[in-house]
Amino acid sequence: MDLKLNEKTALVTASTGGIGLEIARYLAHEGATVIINGRTSETVARACEDIYSRYPDVKLLQLVADNGSAEGYKRTIKEHSEIDILVNNLGIYESVDFFDTTDAQWQHLFEVNVLSAVRLSRHYLKRMLSRNSGRIVFISSESAINPAPEMAHYSATKLMQLSLSRSLAELTKGTNVTVNTIMPGSTKTAGVQKFIQDVFPGVEYETAEKRFMKENRPTSLIARLIRPEEIAAFVTFVCSPLASAINGTCLRVDGGLIRSAV
Amino acid sequence: MTRKEENMKTKDNALDGKVAIVTGGASGIGEAVGKIFVENSCKVVLVDINRDRLKKVVEEIAKEGSNCKGIYADVSVESQVKKLFQDVVKEHGRVDILVNSAGRDSLSPPITETTLEEWEKTINPNLKAVFLCCREAFIIMEKQGGGKIINMGSTSAKLASGPGHSPYRASKHGMMGLSKNLLREGMDKNINVTVINPSHVKTPMTEIIDKGLYDEDIPAYLEGWLDEKEIREGIHKSCIDVENVAEIVLFVATRDSSVTIPQIAIYPTHKIHRYGMEV
């Protein structure tokens, strides 16, 4: 299938690792020019090398900017004023007891997980609408509708993304621009692997993952962590002009984790 | 070998060690500039949106020992311009000369009939692209201690004599304004900016004008504007050759940086009367 991404430019925020890197790799492999974004030039360069090592002919641009801050946002739009695809992938989480979570921690999570996407969308969506072409994709989490009490602030920001995404989609009425949210389930990133290993210290990783899924994610139908490329392939399709009828919706790539018929 | 070709051969190494980016390099003036630069030992990167023609031109130019490469890019798209300059710097480490030659003519009718689409289709490659390329060139040239930017204008950058044609003339006037401003911005950075304003050059672009004018009837709004010879033979036939323009680009590119040539106008001798005292 030709996803017709050849002439498109995509910005994937926080694309130096995890799901973001994989989305960037897939978009680039499908022919899009991809802006690799991270907070340091070292991580951005390393991510580019990682993608080039598998696909030497892809088109990558480097953007060193912390989009979790207003300053980083300003740098982003200064360097790249026009893009066709925005993947709001930047997000952070931390496991903290609700009663110990401070105002500052709540505000920081809001700033990085929600306000970063608000700022970028404010700039890029306007241009997409005037060009009558574009894609915005939010990378949320199943935690949005399946909140995790040990990460109440994280879960809340992930649900906010769903609301924001639908609000922005309403603004695209009658245009060729779409705004959607993807809700991945627990995904096998370096961070999650470390988290699982920490939960089961001394247990071999494969066994630890099986135990984690059985004990902590019992509703998962695939009964394993999702591989980042499984998220990336779907996100890439949603970014394609072929996905023109998918708009204003929330799409689950959660391995069946959420027990719901629709 | 024609006289023109002989002339070119005499210049040899004038650009030895230099790296040039030439936009619109797959045809017309850009192609001719690419050729003369390569003949003068310059490392040349030709940029174009016409992949097939670009490949063909690069194959023609890239003779043994010469350094010429084609990069496909739409220079009116910000990300593609950034990628282009990034790739050239990665390969050659520098950019000494930028020739903005990409552009399109617009046979647009009077303003009441001109669509916004036509406006944008002309302004984007002729003005926005020049801005985008100059911006990247300035970043690199400032770091390396200088460079030369040569923008291909047109008589239409200074004159607006005929009916219709507003998007094209506006784009070229705009490019002139941008270039004038960059003269000052480049002053302390050892970056020289020159606009070359040719009139009536024999290129695929002017050929298209002829086709537009002569395959069908001459549009009513142009009546009385073209002279009889042009109506009879087509504009293209009475145009000057691209090599004449390329030689002047080479001349500008090889000047010492202590001298700036803001503008050069070029006219076919037999048309000089058309422009009178405004030349």
Side-chain angles (χ1 to χ4, degrees):
Chain A
M1 198 190 294
D2 175 10
L3 293 181
K4 302 191 189 304
L5 287 165
N6 243 321
E7 302 296 321
K8 306 294 183 191
T9 302
L11 167 61
V12 183
T13 59
S15 43
T16 57
I19 295 173
L21 174 61
E22 220 49 52
I23 293 170
R25 193 196 313 276
Y26 267 66
L27 283 167
H29 184 50
E30 288 300 324
T33 302
V34 181
I35 301 162
I36 304 297
N37 167 230
R39 283 177 293 176
T40 68
S41 53
E42 289 77 28
T43 54
V44 171
R46 209 179 308 134
C48 289
E49 278 163 29
D50 187 81
I51 297 175
Y52 281 135
S53 69
R54 205 179 316 165
Y55 306 123
D57 296 325
V58 297
K59 295 166 279 184
L60 305 179
L61 290 166
Q62 305 192 1
L63 169 65
V64 180
D66 178 4
N67 273 301
S69 70
E71 208 174 65
Y73 155 76
K74 279 183 196 151
R75 190 180 179 134
T76 296
I77 60 159
K78 181 172 171 260
E79 289 196 26
H80 300 279
S81 183
E82 283 181 341
I83 57 170
D84 302 294
I85 298 160
L86 170 64
V87 181
N88 285 313
N89 172 67
L90 173 62
I92 51 172
Y93 63 88
E94 54 181 354
S95 190
V96 204
D97 184 280
F98 173 74
F99 297 105
D100 295 336
T101 315
T102 63
D103 284 8
Q105 282 173 306
W106 273 92
Q107 275 160 353
H108 185 53
L109 264 273
F110 173 76
E111 173 111 3
V112 176
N113 293 1
V114 181
L115 198 53
S116 64
V118 171
R119 291 192 191 105
L120 292 168
S121 303
R122 199 158 46 203
H123 177 85
Y124 292 120
L125 178 60
K126 200 168 207 176
R127 280 151 186 83
M128 289 175 186
L129 292 173
S130 71
R131 288 204 316 271
N132 192 23
S133 155
R135 296 277 179 271
I136 294 181
V137 177
F138 287 83
I139 306 300
S140 177
S141 160
E142 48 92 18
S143 306
I145 56 172
N146 200 12
E150 74 278 11
M151 299 192 282
H153 54 347
Y154 171 76
S155 303
T157 60
K158 288 289 143 180
L159 184 57
M160 286 176 84
Q161 287 184 313
L162 265 59
S163 170
L164 175 60
S165 171
R166 179 69 205 195
S167 291
L168 299 187
E170 293 292 332
L171 302 175
T172 69
K173 199 162 187 174
T175 73
N176 296 321
V177 181
T178 70
V179 184
N180 292 292
T181 300
I182 309 292
M183 282 198 302
S186 300
T187 304
K188 196 170 181 170
T189 58
V192 170
Q193 278 176 276
K194 187 181 175 296
F195 175 75
I196 290 176
Q197 202 65 79
D198 288 347
V199 176
F200 303 100
V203 180
E204 192 225 351
Y205 177 77
E206 296 302 321
T207 316
E209 183 182 319
K210 279 191 186 115
R211 276 182 62 187
F212 174 80
M213 293 306 293
K214 200 172 172 185
E215 293 169 25
N216 299 63
R217 300 287 186 272
T219 54
S220 168
L221 298 178
I222 59 173
R224 60 168 173 82
L225 289 178
I226 300 158
R227 297 190 302 274
E229 55 266 36
E230 291 175 306
I231 312 286
F234 187 63
V235 171
T236 302
F237 177 75
V238 175
C239 291
S240 159
L242 271 57
S244 42
I246 302 174
N247 196 3
T249 194
C250 177
L251 302 151
R252 292 192 277 136
V253 189
D254 63 356
L257 193 73
I258 294 166
R259 296 199 67 209
S260 165
V262 289
Chain B
M1 193 181 278
T2 66
R3 189 192 58 80
K4 246 172 252 142
E5 283 166 344
E6 272 171 33
N7 276 348
M8 283 187 185
K9 294 290 174 225
T10 59
K11 290 178 187 109
D12 355 282
N13 291 324
L15 292 173
D16 195 17
K18 304 283 186 194
V19 178
I21 293 177
V22 183
T23 72
S27 68
I29 296 171
E31 179 185 354
V33 169
K35 273 184 191 151
I36 203 168
F37 274 19
V38 162
E39 281 161 359
N40 282 273
S41 308
C42 188
K43 292 171 187 158
V44 176
V45 178
L46 298 180
V47 185
D48 213 286
I49 46 170
N50 188 333
R51 270 181 216 273
D52 296 341
R53 223 190 127 84
L54 183 63
K55 191 165 172 269
K56 205 170 138 254
V57 167
V58 170
E59 276 168 13
E60 270 170 32
I61 293 180
K63 292 167 195 153
E64 210 176 316
S66 72
N67 195 325
C68 180
K69 185 182 175 175
I71 293 183
Y72 165 88
D74 181 344
V75 283
S76 62
V77 177
E78 186 183 40
S79 61
Q80 295 190 30
V81 172
K82 284 184 181 280
K83 179 82 173 80
L84 163 71
F85 279 81
Q86 181 184 290
D87 287 351
V88 174
V89 169
K90 199 174 172 190
E91 182 167 350
H92 296 296
R94 56 191 297 113
V95 177
D96 298 290
I97 305 159
L98 164 68
V99 181
N100 283 305
S101 184
R104 89 184 273 272
D105 203 346
S106 163
L107 267 183
S108 69
I111 192 161
T112 49
E113 306 300 317
T114 302
T115 62
L116 179 60
E117 192 195 358
E118 180 62 23
W119 172 265
E120 284 173 347
K121 260 167 81 177
T122 310
I123 296 290
N124 286 349
N126 291 8
L127 181 55
K128 181 183 173 187
V130 177
F131 159 72
L132 290 172
C133 290
C134 286
R135 189 172 65 172
E136 294 308 308
F138 256 71
I139 294 169
I140 294 161
M141 289 173 177
E142 187 178 355
K143 272 189 208 147
Q144 72 193 15
K148 290 193 191 303
I149 295 176
I150 301 166
N151 295 331
M152 296 312 306
S154 160
T155 313
S156 292
K158 298 183 82 176
L159 297 174
S161 56
H165 231 172
S166 359
Y168 182 76
R169 291 210 174 92
S171 72
K172 292 297 179 186
H173 273 71
M175 189 276 286
M176 182 69 120
L178 169 68
S179 306
K180 281 184 188 171
N181 214 60
L182 295 184
L183 276 175
R184 178 63 190 85
E185 288 187 29
M187 191 177 94
D188 309 319
K189 297 168 180 164
N190 212 23
I191 301 171
N192 307 114
V193 182
T194 302
V195 180
I196 297 182
N197 289 326
S199 171
H200 297 83
V201 186
K202 205 175 280 184
T203 67
M205 193 172 92
T206 42
E207 199 170 32
I208 289 166
I209 299 181
D210 265 8
K211 280 186 182 141
L213 288 180
Y214 302 104
D215 284 359
E216 295 158 32
D217 291 341
I218 295 171
Y221 67 86
L222 283 178
E223 260 176 41
W225 184 65
L226 298 169
D227 62 37
E228 220 175 284
K229 191 167 178 277
E230 284 172 339
I231 292 171
R232 205 172 54 244
E233 297 180 351
I235 287 174
H236 197 244
K237 281 218 177 71
S238 56
C239 287
I240 56 173
D241 292 320
V242 286
E243 288 80 4
N244 286 310
V245 182
E247 283 178 3
I248 288 167
V249 174
L250 176 66
F251 173 80
V252 172
T254 50
R255 288 314 90 193
D256 188 82
S257 67
S258 61
V259 181
T260 287
I261 305 168
Q263 291 161 37
I264 293 183
I266 309 168
Y267 296 88
T269 308
H270 73 275
K271 278 194 197 296
I272 211 80
H273 66 287
R274 282 267 298 268
Y275 299 96
M277 296 309 288
E278 289 188 80
V279 168

